[in-house]
Amino acid sequence: IVAAARTGTAATAGAADVAAAAGTAQTANRAATVDTLTPAGKMAFVDPSASNADPNAARTAATEIPLFTRAPFTVYAKCFVDTTANTTLAEAYVRTTQSGAIFDGQTDLLDGDPAYLDTGTAETDRQIDTASSGTNSTTVDLDEDLSSLVAPDGTIVQWQTQVASKHGAAPGGDGPFGAGNRCGFAYTIIG
């Protein structure tokens, strides 16, 4: 493009709008190697769908809240109450339809070197992020680092998950949570 412009044949400079790489274009409006940012748009606030004195039983009984799917991966959340600890928990998880994926999340508990995400990996080992709030409090976790997944074919998915929880009546009021025990979930996908 630069050479063509120098020789007076700048008619080809228009190709920069669809350049193969942003680094080689004067104005790359649609560069093939530039990933896009896909925000959720707004945080979704939900009521807990389960409660139990055993947090594992509450987690198991909680309804899945779909966040996004990028084959072969699905990211979802759960909102539930541990009645023994008097705590509302907001948790995000990932699952795969192809065993042998590489997973790096904020709170993943996979062991190994490297640890692989498989179709049978336990839900608690697939946890991405969590927020828990005790009596009359809120917990907001909006600034986590990226989570990453690499499928067996090398496809990579990166995103940031935002989670928040509120239990009871927070001293500062209900804010965007609404009244009672509530959870909030959002995400931003990179690429």
Side-chain angles (χ1 to χ4, degrees):
I1 294 170
V2 173
R6 288 185 182 148
T7 62
T9 57
T12 60
D17 285 342
V18 289
T24 62
Q26 296 285 331
T27 59
N29 293 336
R30 296 187 324 248
T33 60
V34 175
D35 290 331
T36 57
L37 208 58
T38 307
K42 61 193 276 188
M43 184 165 261
F45 292 93
V46 299
D47 291 322
S49 59
S51 62
N52 197 296
D54 176 356
N56 291 322
R59 178 182 295 109
T60 300
T63 303
E64 291 185 12
I65 303 160
L67 297 180
F68 69 87
T69 297
R70 291 278 173 107
F73 306 113
T74 297
V75 174
Y76 64 95
K78 289 186 173 184
C79 180
F80 57 95
V81 174
D82 174 348
T83 57
T84 299
N86 208 23
T87 303
T88 299
L89 293 105
E91 298 183 350
Y93 308 90
V94 63
R95 78 164 48 90
T96 184
T97 59
Q98 295 177 358
S99 290
I102 298 171
F103 171 40
D104 183 21
Q106 298 307 308
T107 60
D108 66 272
L109 301 175
L110 290 175
D111 294 322
D113 185 20
Y116 294 110
L117 177 66
D118 295 323
T119 57
T121 301
E123 184 174 62
T124 52
D125 292 340
R126 299 183 279 112
Q127 188 179 80
I128 299 164
D129 203 356
T130 184
S132 62
S133 298
T135 305
N136 298 326
S137 69
T138 61
T139 299
V140 179
D141 192 1
L142 306 179
D143 62 349
E144 289 292 354
D145 292 332
L146 292 178
S147 292
S148 300
L149 290 162
V150 180
D153 70 0
T155 301
I156 188 166
V157 178
Q158 292 184 304
W159 74 97
Q160 182 184 44
T161 307
Q162 295 86 30
V163 296
S165 63
K166 177 176 152 307
H167 192 82
D174 292 328
F177 284 98
N181 302 331
R182 303 276 284 170
C183 297
F185 301 102
Y187 63 90
T188 303
I189 300 173
I190 311 299

